[in-house]
Amino acid sequence: MAKLTFTGGIHPYDGKDLSKDRPIRNVLPKGDLTYPLSQHIGAPAVPIVKKGERVLTGQKIAEAGGFVSAPIYATVSGTVKCIEPRRVVTGDNVMSIVVENDGKYEAVSFPECKAIKDYTKEEIITRVKEAGVVGMGGAGFPTFIKLSPKEPEKIEYVIVNGAECEPYLTSDYRRMLEEPRKVIGGLKAILRLFDKAYGIIAIEDNKRDCIELMKRLTRHEPRITVKALRTKYPQGAERQLIYATTGRQINSSMLPADAGCIVDNVDTVVAIYTALTEGKPLMERIVTVTGDAVAEPCNFKVKIGTNYHELVEEAGGFKVQPEKIISGGPMMGFGIFDLDVPTTKTASALLCLTKDEVSAMEPTACINCGRCVEVCPGRVVPTKLMQAAIRGDEETFLKCNGMECCECGCCSFVCPAKQPLTQTIKSMRKMQLAKKKK
């Protein structure tokens, strides 16, 4: 069907059948809500409430801590219980605001809204900034910055990332299927910022119903096209998506704007639409709870700050005690050892598997088969990078284009020797990025 794709990539078992036909269900939290102050790339948000203070749904409880930062809002009404470090999915202890939910959901008055066509460009960016919208596909980059490139007149494409190539995840699929007009409305709002740009809604061709629905709803929109992409992982990665839809290439030292593109996740685009049409800040998102250990895999509309324990209970609990629990998908998610962690703006899924196949693998010597090179979308040689990383040889690592790795996990997936290629390369990349920051 589709020809749009990139070089490399893999076809893992996608596991989407478990939850793709489960409509989005609203979930109200039962216990305390925890709001980590770092739910985005950049400076942590700064609390503007105190212990013992009563807050309302939609009330700002932490303001942006710098230019690259984002405010945080209460998603329930209740009392600030404490402000202290709490565990997040990465295993780090992050300073967080904990709110005791009173179950009343009393809300603040949200600002008046107007038709999207009546907003000025400055008003759109201000609304998105104040709403605390960040990239909800995983990166968490403050969206107002992405929508404010140095040369907006050079932006030619605004791409809505509906690929959802990560196995098991179906939250974007359900969002596109159930609320397509919000996705289109959010895209039209972004297009108002860029006079010369065309919108692309990019969807993998295993979601034919979404493709047909979006094409029908945009048939009279001259600035919007729907593009079907070949189903392949990591089709939804930013660099691969831009190449597949526009033929343009970017590398690790470039931003999408350098190639005349803006890329936003489906949920991010909906959050922009909600901020402009309802005046509401980012307070909820869709989370897929799935895996063969879950009794009833589901797609939930979750209030940010809800505990993962509660989501598992809503999904009927565990059929079998899982050996592996992952926040996100199996390729790029974080393995977690405790469900007592909160959902955040970037929480897309909770995957619970009966078997921990990766831990059971025993690495053996590399057989120089070259499979990792064949599947690498970054066109690097993973074995060379891993060897350089193990030796701590930064010069060779950089010379072999180690920073072009997107940490997708394709090389580890196909390696017959079960070498921890991605993990080793990722560690060295972290070190190099930390040095750049300094």
Side-chain angles (χ1 to χ4, degrees):
M1 178 181 171
K3 300 294 180 186
L4 304 177
T5 190
F6 60 96
T7 303
I10 57 175
H11 295 86
Y13 165 65
D14 72 6
K16 294 182 187 289
D17 285 345
L18 293 171
S19 59
K20 74 180 183 66
D21 296 324
R22 302 294 181 98
I24 297 167
R25 276 173 46 196
N26 283 303
V27 174
L28 292 178
K30 301 180 181 71
D32 296 343
L33 283 289
T34 302
Y35 306 97
L37 297 176
S38 291
Q39 300 189 37
H40 48 263
I41 287 175
V46 179
I48 54 174
V49 292
K50 296 178 181 178
K51 181 179 178 180
E53 185 175 337
R54 187 164 192 273
V55 296
L56 301 177
T57 304
Q59 178 181 331
K60 186 191 289 188
I61 56 176
E63 61 187 6
F67 178 70
V68 183
S69 188
I72 295 169
Y73 292 80
T75 57
V76 297
S77 57
T79 305
V80 177
K81 201 172 179 179
C82 58
I83 302 176
E84 63 184 23
R86 288 292 179 98
R87 186 88 60 192
V88 295
V89 295
T90 58
D92 299 321
N93 280 314
V94 174
M95 191 61 71
S96 306
I97 299 170
V98 181
V99 173
E100 186 177 358
N101 180 13
D102 64 12
K104 297 178 181 177
Y105 300 99
E106 294 176 333
V108 299
S109 296
F110 298 111
E112 288 186 14
C113 300
K114 46 190 174 183
I116 287 174
K117 63 182 178 61
D118 295 329
Y119 281 100
T120 65
K121 294 178 182 180
E122 293 74 19
E123 286 174 334
I124 290 173
I125 291 172
T126 299
R127 276 279 174 105
V128 171
K129 179 181 181 180
E130 188 60 22
V133 180
V134 303
M136 296 167 75
F141 192 75
T143 301
F144 81 94
I145 299 175
K146 190 182 284 190
L147 300 182
S148 310
K150 290 180 181 177
E151 299 175 295
E153 69 280 358
K154 292 186 178 180
I155 300 300
E156 296 178 71
Y157 297 103
V158 176
I159 305 168
V160 177
N161 186 354
E164 198 167 48
C165 62
E166 181 82 32
Y168 289 94
L169 274 60
T170 56
S171 54
D172 287 348
Y173 168 73
R174 293 309 310 182
R175 178 75 93 173
M176 289 187 288
L177 205 58
E178 296 183 45
E179 300 180 320
R181 286 183 170 80
K182 290 185 179 181
V183 177
I184 296 165
L187 174 56
K188 289 167 75 172
I190 300 172
L191 288 173
R192 283 192 51 77
L193 301 173
F194 307 107
D195 300 330
K196 299 177 183 178
Y198 287 88
I200 298 172
I201 301 175
I203 308 172
E204 281 193 331
D205 61 6
N206 61 351
K207 306 173 185 68
R208 297 191 182 195
D209 45 0
C210 280
I211 293 169
E212 291 167 6
L213 177 61
M214 288 295 186
K215 280 186 174 180
R216 178 164 56 80
L217 294 176
T218 58
R219 65 188 183 279
H220 299 309
E221 299 288 347
R223 293 180 68 191
I224 298 176
T225 58
V226 179
K227 293 196 175 185
L229 311 178
R230 184 173 295 168
T231 300
K232 184 167 62 168
Y233 177 86
Q235 188 71 265
E238 202 166 59
R239 295 183 216 172
Q240 284 66 47
L241 188 72
I242 289 171
Y243 180 75
T245 54
T246 70
R248 299 180 180 187
Q249 294 182 319
I250 62 170
N251 58 39
S252 62
S253 64
M254 298 169 67
L255 294 171
D258 296 326
C261 300
I262 299 288
V263 181
D264 275 312
N265 168 264
V266 166
D267 243 5
T268 307
V269 173
V270 171
I272 291 170
Y273 179 82
T274 302
L276 295 173
T277 60
E278 299 177 33
K280 292 180 179 178
L282 177 53
M283 296 189 292
E284 57 188 20
R285 64 157 301 137
I286 312 300
V287 177
T288 303
V289 179
T290 187
D292 59 357
V294 176
E296 299 171 17
C298 293
N299 297 288
F300 295 127
K301 184 175 282 187
V302 174
K303 291 188 178 295
I304 290 165
T306 303
N307 194 285
Y308 271 133
H309 266 304
E310 296 184 24
L311 299 188
V312 172
E313 288 175 13
E314 287 287 338
F318 294 132
K319 293 187 295 186
V320 181
Q321 194 61 32
E323 284 188 5
K324 188 74 173 180
I325 301 177
I326 301 169
S327 176
M331 299 302 295
M332 296 190 74
F334 296 97
I336 60 177
F337 57 86
D338 186 0
L339 284 171
D340 188 19
V341 289
T343 53
T344 61
K345 295 178 182 182
T346 58
S348 58
L350 183 68
L351 174 60
C352 307
L353 301 172
T354 55
K355 298 294 181 186
D356 185 356
E357 295 179 9
V358 175
S359 294
M361 292 175 180
E362 288 291 337
T364 57
C366 171
I367 60 172
N368 296 312
C369 64
R371 291 183 198 176
C372 58
V373 181
E374 289 177 6
V375 301
C376 177
R379 316 317 297 153
V380 296
V381 183
T383 49
K384 279 190 177 181
L385 295 179
M386 185 180 80
Q387 289 161 9
I390 290 171
R391 294 194 307 268
D393 185 349
E394 297 179 24
E395 185 181 345
T396 300
F397 185 85
L398 295 174
K399 188 178 176 181
C400 292
N401 297 314
M403 300 312 290
E404 297 309 311
C405 168
C406 65
E407 302 176 11
C408 64
C410 288
C411 53
S412 296
F413 181 82
V414 299
C415 179
K418 309 305 179 188
Q419 291 277 319
L421 293 156
T422 306
Q423 298 93 317
T424 311
I425 296 168
K426 185 175 182 177
S427 297
M428 177 61 91
R429 289 187 77 253
K430 270 189 177 178
M431 287 169 57
Q432 296 305 311
L433 291 169
K435 283 190 174 182
K436 270 189 182 180
K437 271 188 180 180
K438 285 182 182 179

